[in-house]
Amino acid sequence: MNRKSVALTALGVAVCAVGLYGVANAQLSTEKPRASPGKERGDLTWGTCDRPDLPVQKGVECGTLKVPVDWAEPQSETVALRAYRWKAADQSKRKGTILNFPSGPGEAGDIAFADLRQHLPGYDLIALDPRGVEQSAPLNCTADKALKIPQVPPTDSRRFHALAKDQSSFWSTCATAPAGLKNHMDAYSNARDAEALRKAMRLERINVHGFSYGTLTAERYLGLYGDHVNGSVLESVMDPTQSRRAFVTSAARGMEAIFDRFGKWCAKETSCALHGKDVASVFRTAQKKADAGQIPGSLHSKPWSAATVTGYFEVTAPSSFKEAAEGLKKLSEGKNPMPGEGKPGQDQTPKSVPFPDPIVCSDFDLSAGTVGQARHDLKATRKAAPVLGFSTNASHYTATCLSGPRPAEGSSKPVTSRSDHPTMLLSNTLDPATPHTWADRVAGQLRHKAVPVKTDQVGHGGGLDDPQTKRKVVAYMDQANRAGR
């Protein structure tokens, strides 16, 4: 992800059976310019994107799509969603339209536009800010309570019950406008929003692209409306069928695999700050010093602890083994590797901030529930990741979801597709957020409608930057759109 939401950066946090809503009920407008009074409901007029704090690509147009808060009651109150369009430069050679589902939760709909235009030129690009994100009625929560959510739930009864109480209080501070949207931010609802956009634009056939958390909405769109889809490319794939235990253990195992690769790199590379050392021993030393309060300052406003050290490795290692090694060396020496990070609470934190993390609770049943479940989760992740102990990116949600929106009806159903074309599933051999095993499981659910492509690299996404993977994607998209015309 090349652009993070303000809330995620500030807080240091990593990731229904209803009736159809026809185009006649979709109210569409723009902030600037406004549609003329004679426009019928369902017409979408595109205008400029007034967003100085988060500029869009030059040439991207913006609009507003009004949809029901609750798709089960389409005549109830509506919510205004931000829509994006970036038309291909040469319309005479236009290949089709790609509907993008962004990563996150927390990223704007146009987050992947630049990469898609670079790697798949010739397509019009369209997207929405998902519900509760950016300019689509963002979910706002009290900042200080969000900062207190632990990266791993406590395993002693007193602290766990205190956390459960805190989380209930925290969720009560979170709000959307309209208020009812707070409990309707799931992937199924977002998929239906996307279908309303397709109908509003009067597009008979489209292509679908989803990255990371966006693949979840893409999967639900394919299951509901895949008969309108030519090509579909999902990268860093989410598996909706996972239980909470499978979610945290598979993520921990994936991170441990990255640590193993990191250790082998350090053993070979003299440029590694830990060359010639037992990297696992250095890591454990860093964790012990952190838990003993011997490391000053904080990591993104969170005091150093064993969990924070793991989180530091998760963030730095996938992009730079060299930086991770230098940072772990400093931590093992009792030094803070984060320049400018002071003591926790020193930075001025706003009272309320956009905080999309609870959206995950709408799609996965991740609540640890009881202290016993938290203990068994930690035991399982430590077995899967003997050095790191867990994936903070995954385990964080088992604490966040102790209170919050409940998973939508059918949220754990297997992935299906109504498209005549198979779905291309891109994964990396070593991914810190979405292990390739998740893509493997989704491929098993889609069976003959899946085209798995695995890129041998460390990182979250970036598959199209690999020449061989890009060639496969381009050839697949060309074939799907020739056949779909």
Side-chain angles (χ1 to χ4, degrees), residues 99-100 116 120 207-211 215 218 222 229 231-235 237 422-426 464 473-474 476-477:
L99 169 62
N100 179 60
L116 289 173
L120 294 167
N207 300 278
V208 166
H209 171 266
F211 174 57
T215 64
L222 287 167
V229 175
S232 51
V233 178
L234 279 54
E235 182 172 11
V237 181
T423 296
M424 181 167 275
L425 306 173
L426 306 184
L464 284 169
V473 172
V474 171
Y476 160 82
M477 286 291 287

Side-chain angles (χ1 to χ4, degrees), residues 2 29 37 39 56 91 93 108 122 217 237 269 301 335 342 361 368 376 403 444 447:
N2 54 17
S29 64
K39 291 286 185 180
V56 300
Q91 287 290 296
K93 297 181 180 179
T217 303
V237 181
E269 294 290 333
S301 300
K335 302 173 184 177
C361 313
H376 283 97
S403 183
R447 304 178 69 180

Side-chain angles (χ1 to χ4, degrees), residues 252-466:
R253 190 175 296 109
M255 275 309 308
E256 189 81 0
I258 293 177
F259 189 88
D260 290 343
R261 177 77 66 91
F262 167 73
K264 292 176 182 176
W265 176 83
C266 270
K268 293 180 180 179
E269 294 290 333
T270 57
S271 62
C272 175
L274 302 179
H275 181 69
K277 299 181 182 293
D278 182 341
V279 293
S281 178
V282 171
F283 187 87
R284 292 190 178 100
T285 297
Q287 286 189 315
K288 289 178 182 177
K289 290 201 172 185
D291 275 344
Q294 296 175 10
I295 299 175
S298 62
L299 175 68
H300 302 309
S301 300
K302 287 186 178 290
W304 286 101
S305 65
T308 321
V309 171
T310 296
Y312 173 80
F313 180 80
E314 287 181 24
V315 172
T316 56
S319 58
S320 173
F321 277 177
K322 186 175 185 295
E323 181 183 350
E326 292 169 352
L328 290 179
K329 182 175 184 296
K330 288 182 180 179
L331 288 169
S332 69
E333 296 168 350
K335 302 173 184 177
N336 190 342
M338 301 294 289
E341 284 274 356
K343 294 181 179 180
Q346 275 191 345
D347 296 334
Q348 289 187 345
T349 303
K351 183 177 180 180
S352 180
V353 294
F355 188 69
D357 280 33
I359 292 174
V360 174
C361 313
S362 299
D363 295 310
F364 290 94
D365 190 3
L366 295 180
S367 171
T370 67
V371 66
Q373 291 176 345
R375 289 169 181 163
H376 283 97
D377 285 350
L378 185 57
K379 181 179 180 181
T381 58
R382 282 177 171 167
K383 182 178 180 180
V387 178
L388 297 183
F390 35 72
S391 159
T392 59
N393 185 57
S395 292
H396 163 78
Y397 290 112
T398 66
T400 301
C401 294
L402 276 171
S403 183
R406 297 301 304 156
E409 182 181 347
S411 62
S412 62
K413 286 184 177 180
V415 179
T416 60
S417 175
R418 295 176 61 179
S419 175
D420 293 333
H421 307 277
T423 296
M424 181 167 275
L425 306 173
L426 306 184
S427 61
N428 293 337
T429 52
L430 296 170
D431 188 317
T434 53
H436 70 82
T437 53
W438 294 4
D440 295 342
R441 286 176 57 88
V442 171
Q445 294 160 40
L446 288 171
R447 304 178 69 180
H448 67 281
K449 286 192 172 183
V451 180
V453 177
K454 196 171 296 182
T455 305
D456 186 17
Q457 62 183 13
V458 179
H460 187 51
L464 284 169
D465 294 328
D466 177 78

Side-chain angles (χ1 to χ4, degrees), residues 204-205 229-231 420-421 477-485:
E204 180 58 32
R205 302 197 69 80
V229 175
N230 290 338
D420 293 333
H421 307 277
M477 286 291 287
D478 285 345
Q479 182 181 21
N481 283 277
R482 279 198 300 268
R485 287 173 186 167

